[in-house]
Every structure is written in structure tokens, then in C-alpha cells.
Amino acid sequence: MYEFSMTLGDKENLYEQIYKYIKGEMLEGTLKPGERLPSTRVLSQSLGVSRSTVDLAYQQLLSEGYISSIPAKGYFVSDMEIFAYAGGEKEEILLEKEEAQKKPVVDFSLTKIDEDGFPHSYWKKISKKILDIEDENLYDLGDCRGELSLRKSITDYLHRFRQVNCHPNQIVIGAGNDYLAMLLSVLLREEKYMAMENPTYKSAADTFVCMGLQVQGIAMDESGMDIDTLMKSEAKVAYVMPSHQFPMGCVMPIKRRIELLDWAKRKNGYIIEDDYDSQFRYRGKPIPALQGLDDQERVIYLGTFSKSIAPAIRFSYMVLPKSLLERWNAIRESFSVTISKVDQKIIEEFLSSGWYERHVNKMRNKYRQKRNLVLGAMKEWNFPYSVSGEEAGLHFVLHLPFIKSKKDLLFTLKEAGIILYAPEEYLLSSKTYNEEDFLLGYASLREKEIGEQIADLGKKIEAFY
């Protein structure tokens, strides 16, 4: 009988640790087919855990076919063809370990946030307050659109800060923009074609395609989606990010916004306005939402708390124009709300208490400081460069004219543990893109390390001039 010598930690469920250890021993070839495992009683005593914990681990292995059970005899390592693939899985495990050891020194991520900025103490306080309320309906599924009181809070917030005109009945909440994109695909399936800026937020594009819509990439200029190209397309729905385009960072001016609204009116179509990070603008007041200019009920407004609070919150919402409410009401009962009432109540309290506004102001100042540190450190570079899109959001475009090889530079940086990004990663088509454009995010950088990180980045780039 095989004897285990494993050390259990406190970062993961005990039974999962036992399960993974035994599975790993089998795939490594240390545990042989037909070998008997210790009884649940013996192993629980050896590890100092409850017998039920070991039993859970064994049951998981049993259900996946890694072990078999013989009554009155015990558990045995399965003699199955899976072990013919053990070498391949072992190699995969080793590769995962190698990747873990090659963690980047610095990741100029476009999607990460400042983890230290999460309002832990207040979040705990609100959570405790909500859970202490004796409400027998708190654990019900609830309205598929989201709780009315929450939708009222979101309505008030949008009126005050984004100049969005809506009624709570027009709001639908969901676990992330991808879920809302799925709902919109069902709502807009009659339109068939979706126009998206190119490059753009590809996750949404992939969702629309998976749901049966045909996505057409529309070229951009410095003002955003090109209207002439849009007019020539078959699309009757356009997905845009007018307040801060992702990933190119441009802000759509009022003239282009009016042209876009006129296109929707003439096409009898719709505009999806993704307002994903409008809270973070560093010069002047936030740009009002496109939806506030719409007097034809043609704009679908998307908002999220993922950028301003944390991506893990997975909390987004959309404002449907009244012209789409009849379609929505006809299908909405087919969908269940994807955010628990508890989480909805936490966000509602966060908004109504004024704490969300204070949190956003704090994070805006924090991100402004990081941006200033990055731009300040870049002034020490001894080669030509420029930036754009730096007045808003959590990233900007870095232009490196005359760079020798963009592909080689990105590879060299990655080998050195520095992850920089390129617009090509967000293209909807395989067309070439400006060879001098790179994308640099700064939200997750630590302030005390920025100077050294930007100096190191500059040295690596300079070698390619």
C-alpha cells in the first residue's frame, strides 16, 4: 500500500489539495496502476484532517475514473488507458511550472486595475450590513432585470454623472458585458449585421459572432468610426466607445456623434454605446454620454463597475431605448438574473450612500498620479516617441516612429519579462496596422517601481533604433 507524504496549505480546500496531490502522483508515474491507496481512516489520521475530507477527495478521483473501489478491499489506482497519456499530461504539468517560473517582471496590462485600491473595509461593512438584515426574500432569484431599488440607484447615478436619460424599467443588469452582449444578440438578431470599430473590444465581437450575428470591422480615423465606411456597410447596428475608444484611446467629438446618430435614424438602426471607463478622465469634466444626445430612441447604453471597482465584481448594466422594450418584454422571462440579490444590494448601498462617488474620485487621483509618473519617466528616453489617448482611461497609445522591427521588439521584451501590447491583438481582420503603435497600460503598476520599470523599458526599446 502506497504511503503519502504531503503537506497541506491553507490557500485551497483541503480535499482539493489531497485530490490534486494523488492525481499528480498518478500522472507522474509514482502511483502505479492497481496499487492500493490508504483507507480514508488511515489517511485522515496521517494528515490530521477529518475522514469526510479524505472521502471527498477519493470520491472526486473515483468519479473522474482515476481510481476504482472494490467493496471490503478499498480503493485502487485504475488500470486504464489514461496512463498511456500520462507522459503527455506530465509534460503539460512541467510546462505549466516553467511558465509559472517565468512570470513577467512587469505587465503593462490594459485590463488590470490597482488591486490595493479595492475598498476592502467598506465592502466588508456593507456586506455585513446586508447579510444581517432578516429578509426572507434576500435569497430568492428576483427580477430578471435586477432589483427595482438597484435600478433606481443606477438611474440616479447615470442622470447625475453621465447625463443619461432613462427610467428604471429600461435598465437590465448582468454579470459582465459579455453576458449583456449575448442578450443584445438575441434582441437584435433581426438586424443580422453588427458594425464595430477596428480595432475594438474583441470579446464582445466574439460573443456576437457566436450568437449568430455577422460582425463587420469599420475603419477608424482620429475621431472614431468612419461614417462613410459605415454607410457603405450592411450593418444596422454599430458598436462604439465614444468616451474613450478601446484600444486606441480617441474621444469621439460632437460632430461625429451627431453624424452617427443621423446614420442610426436614416438606417432605422441602433447604436450600442460602450461606456466602459468614462469615470477616469484627467483633464476637464467627463465627456457626456452619447445617449444623452439621442432623441430618436436609437442608443443602447452599456456601463460597468468592473473598471471602477474590480473586474472580479462582474457587474454590468445596460439601458435599452424605449423602442426596444417591446422586444425585450417579449423574451425577458426566458432569462434569469445572473447577479445574486446580495451582490445587488451591496452595489445599491455603495451607490446610494455616496461611497461609490468618493471611491471613483480617489481612484481617479491615484491613476492620474500613476499616469504622470509614467509620462514623466518617459521624458528621460533618448529616442523619438509620442503618446496619444493619455487624457482618459487606464492606458494610452505609445508611438515609436522609425522602430526597426515591432515583432522582434515585442518578443525581446517578453523574453526579458516585460509585456507590452499592440493594436494588432484587437483587430477584427488580418489587415496590417501601424507598425509604430504600441499600447501601454499603467493601472496595475506600483508607484514606487514605475521609474525603474519605464527606464528599463526605454533601454530595451532604444536597442531597436
Side-chain angles (χ1 to χ4, degrees):
M1 182 175 66
Y2 188 83
E3 293 186 6
F4 296 122
S5 57
M6 72 179 86
T7 301
L8 301 177
D10 56 3
K11 293 184 178 180
E12 192 176 22
N13 288 333
L14 294 175
Y15 90 88
E16 289 186 0
Q17 294 181 59
I18 298 170
Y19 155 77
K20 288 180 179 179
Y21 177 87
I22 296 174
K23 179 181 173 182
E25 292 289 282
M26 294 165 64
L27 296 178
E28 289 280 353
T30 308
L31 269 172
K32 308 297 183 184
E35 194 159 359
R36 183 183 175 188
L37 300 179
S39 68
T40 55
R41 179 182 60 80
V42 170
L43 188 54
S44 65
Q45 290 176 349
S46 172
L47 298 176
V49 299
S50 68
R51 192 169 178 178
S52 61
T53 297
V54 176
D55 188 59
L56 274 174
Y58 278 12
Q59 289 303 315
Q60 184 66 33
L61 291 164
L62 192 64
S63 64
E64 294 183 17
Y66 285 100
I67 63 175
S68 58
S69 174
I70 300 177
K73 289 189 177 182
Y75 295 97
F76 296 84
V77 177
S78 295
D79 186 10
M80 297 174 61
E81 290 184 359
I82 185 171
F83 291 99
Y85 300 94
E89 297 208 21
K90 180 179 178 181
E91 183 178 343
E92 186 176 328
I93 293 170
L94 291 174
L95 287 172
E96 288 177 0
K97 288 180 180 178
E98 286 181 16
E99 288 299 315
Q101 292 170 358
K102 291 174 61 176
K103 288 182 179 179
V105 174
V106 57
D107 183 359
F108 293 104
S109 172
L110 313 185
T111 57
K112 294 180 181 178
I113 65 162
D114 186 316
E115 295 179 0
D116 295 334
F118 185 80
H120 290 280
S121 59
Y122 198 76
W123 199 264
K124 289 178 182 177
K125 182 179 178 181
I126 295 178
S127 301
K128 186 178 186 304
K129 176 182 176 181
I130 299 301
L131 293 172
D132 283 347
I133 297 175
E134 294 185 6
D135 181 0
E136 60 183 16
N137 297 317
L138 186 61
Y139 303 101
D140 291 343
L141 191 58
D143 194 314
C144 62
R145 299 167 294 182
E147 295 305 294
L148 178 59
S149 56
L150 168 64
R151 289 185 278 123
K152 286 180 177 178
S153 293
I154 293 175
T155 300
D156 292 341
Y157 164 74
L158 291 176
H159 278 308
R160 290 176 60 202
F161 296 103
R162 300 302 299 129
Q163 299 181 30
V164 168
N165 303 311
C166 65
H167 186 276
N169 288 341
Q170 294 174 251
I171 293 178
V172 180
I173 69 165
N177 277 18
D178 292 338
Y179 172 74
L180 296 182
M182 183 192 75
L183 292 184
L184 286 174
S185 299
V186 178
L187 274 176
L188 301 172
R189 58 189 169 193
E190 295 177 12
E191 278 68 22
K192 296 183 182 179
Y193 297 97
M194 173 82 66
M196 297 187 75
E197 297 158 322
N198 196 23
T200 191
Y201 174 47
K202 286 197 71 175
S203 182
D206 292 341
T207 300
F208 291 134
V209 170
C210 286
M211 294 298 293
L213 291 176
Q214 296 185 48
V215 172
Q216 300 178 339
I218 305 297
M220 292 173 56
D221 58 23
E222 66 278 1
S223 297
M225 183 177 281
D226 182 73
I227 299 298
D228 290 338
T229 307
L230 177 62
M231 289 294 294
K232 295 173 185 176
S233 75
E234 300 172 275
K236 293 179 66 177
V237 181
Y239 188 110
V240 296
M241 293 165 270
S243 294
H244 186 239
Q245 202 275 339
F246 182 91
M248 299 311 295
C250 61
V251 176
M252 186 178 290
I254 185 67
K255 183 176 183 294
R256 182 62 55 85
R257 293 175 184 231
I258 292 173
E259 290 173 343
L260 192 58
L261 289 168
D262 184 60
W263 166 85
K265 179 181 178 180
R266 284 196 275 173
K267 283 275 192 175
N268 194 27
Y270 293 97
I271 302 165
I272 300 174
E273 176 183 13
D274 188 344
D275 205 28
Y276 70 102
D277 71 351
S278 59
Q279 300 94 338
F280 303 121
R281 183 167 177 80
Y282 309 119
R283 178 180 294 177
K285 294 182 179 180
I287 305 296
L290 175 66
Q291 197 267 4
L293 298 172
D294 177 28
D295 59 0
Q296 299 292 321
E297 297 294 329
R298 291 293 161 190
V299 176
I300 302 163
Y301 179 89
L302 295 182
T304 180
F305 295 112
S306 294
K307 281 285 186 182
S308 54
I309 302 177
I313 297 298
R314 304 301 298 155
F315 200 115
S316 297
Y317 53 90
M318 65 180 172
V319 179
L320 294 173
K322 293 174 184 177
S323 59
L324 275 178
L325 287 182
E326 185 176 346
R327 287 194 203 180
W328 166 243
N329 291 332
I331 66 169
R332 75 184 197 194
E333 295 304 325
S334 300
F335 300 93
S336 296
V337 66
T338 52
I339 301 176
S340 73
K341 276 190 179 181
V342 173
D343 290 330
Q344 291 184 55
K345 287 293 183 183
I346 291 173
I347 292 291
E348 179 187 334
E349 178 71 17
F350 210 50
L351 288 169
S352 61
S353 66
W355 217 97
Y356 176 68
E357 182 181 349
R358 293 193 292 274
H359 172 71
V360 168
N361 289 336
K362 171 189 171 185
M363 296 311 297
R364 185 187 299 115
N365 290 332
K366 193 175 185 70
Y367 290 137
R368 181 190 286 113
Q369 173 67 12
K370 289 189 177 187
R371 182 206 64 164
N372 291 344
L373 287 171
V374 170
L375 295 176
M378 288 168 61
K379 291 179 180 179
E380 301 298 319
W381 288 357
N382 297 314
F383 50 85
Y385 75 91
S386 62
V387 299
S388 62
E390 77 279 13
E391 296 299 339
L394 305 179
H395 77 278
F396 56 78
V397 183
L398 171 63
H399 308 282
L400 298 174
F402 318 120
I403 199 75
K404 287 180 181 178
S405 173
K406 185 175 193 176
K407 183 178 179 181
D408 290 345
L409 171 58
L410 290 172
F411 178 79
T412 298
L413 289 173
K414 188 173 181 180
E415 287 294 296
I418 301 174
I419 309 300
L420 199 62
Y421 298 84
E424 290 90 321
E425 298 176 41
Y426 303 94
L427 285 172
L428 296 177
S429 63
S430 58
K431 72 167 191 174
T432 58
Y433 206 75
N434 195 327
E435 281 294 305
E436 68 179 47
D437 287 347
F438 298 81
L439 305 171
L440 191 153
Y442 49 84
S444 62
L445 303 180
R446 297 192 178 278
E447 293 180 22
K448 63 181 180 181
E449 300 171 353
I450 286 176
E452 182 180 345
Q453 291 169 342
I454 296 300
D456 190 29
L457 175 63
K459 290 177 183 178
K460 300 291 191 302
I461 294 174
E462 191 170 7
F464 281 80
Y465 271 90

